[in-house]
């Protein structure tokens, strides 16, 4: 067998080995992750909303509200992506883009608020005092 045939065969094998799993993932494998993220987002959203009711400290309440906003944003964002990936129509693209933008804005705003209130809590309680206890 000539040497160039062996090299081409090895190159073809390595190309299939490296690129095949990335390019040829099935649609059901991709579709599985979105419902899991959506369900986790809703569960954490409810968790943070209940945590707001349990605490009396105003700063902790607004921090939990910011965290719940992040969860709501990720829910809306991934719901929009899931709808487009599932239906693959032009209408689902527009609706998915709208949900993606709105969810991204909620996620970004919640992240900024949570970071701000976390820093405020650290500034007001340098010794690590927890107001909930």
């Amino acid at each position: 067998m000539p040497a160039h045939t062996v090299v081409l065969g090895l190159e073809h094998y390595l190309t299939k080995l490296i690129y095949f799993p990335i390019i040829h993932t099935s649609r059901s494998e991709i579709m599985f992750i979105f419902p899991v993220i959506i369900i986790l987002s809703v569960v954490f959203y409810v968790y943070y909303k209940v945590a707001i009711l349990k605490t009396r400290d105003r700063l902790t309440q607004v921090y939990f509200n910011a965290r719940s906003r992040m969860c709501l944003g990720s829910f809306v964002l991934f719901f929009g992506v899931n709808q487009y990936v599932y239906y693959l129509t032009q209408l689902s693209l527009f609706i998915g883009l709208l949900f993606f933008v709105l969810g991204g804005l909620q996620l970004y705003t919640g992240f900024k608020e949570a970071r701000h209130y976390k820093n405020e809590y650290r500034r007001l309680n340098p010794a690590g005092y927890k107001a909930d206890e």
Side-chain angles (χ1 to χ4, degrees):
M1 182 181 298
H4 70 279
T5 307
V6 172
V7 170
L8 288 176
L10 182 63
E11 183 179 277
H12 177 71
Y13 175 74
L14 288 177
T15 304
K16 283 183 85 172
L17 182 67
I18 293 170
Y19 293 115
F20 183 78
I22 297 170
I23 295 172
H24 291 75
T25 56
S26 71
R27 194 166 155 203
S28 63
E29 291 173 3
I30 295 172
M31 291 296 290
F32 176 72
I33 193 71
F34 292 127
V36 170
I37 294 172
I38 289 168
I39 290 170
L40 285 175
S41 297
V42 170
V43 167
F44 280 115
Y45 176 76
V46 171
Y47 169 77
Y48 284 120
K49 285 299 184 179
V50 170
I52 290 171
L53 299 174
K54 285 185 168 186
T55 185
R56 285 178 235 136
D57 181 33
R58 181 70 182 141
L59 187 59
T60 308
Q61 286 178 345
V62 293
Y63 174 72
F64 283 151
N65 195 28
R67 296 292 295 214
S68 68
R69 181 180 295 227
M70 289 172 55
C71 295
L72 179 65
S74 66
F75 166 72
V76 172
L77 186 137
F78 284 108
F79 185 79
V81 171
N82 184 44
Q83 289 306 303
Y84 175 66
V85 170
Y86 184 74
Y87 291 112
L88 293 175
T89 63
Q90 192 172 11
L91 179 64
S92 68
L93 173 66
F94 292 135
I95 294 171
L97 282 175
L98 178 69
F99 280 15
F100 187 82
V101 168
L102 292 176
L105 288 174
Q106 287 286 328
L107 191 64
Y108 178 71
T109 305
F111 179 74
K112 280 180 33 180
E113 287 178 1
R115 187 174 56 191
H116 169 72
Y117 292 125
K118 186 177 183 181
N119 290 336
E120 280 296 309
Y121 187 83
R122 286 182 181 166
R123 184 181 66 83
L124 294 173
N125 304 306
Y129 170 77
K130 289 192 173 187
D132 296 338
E133 298 176 337

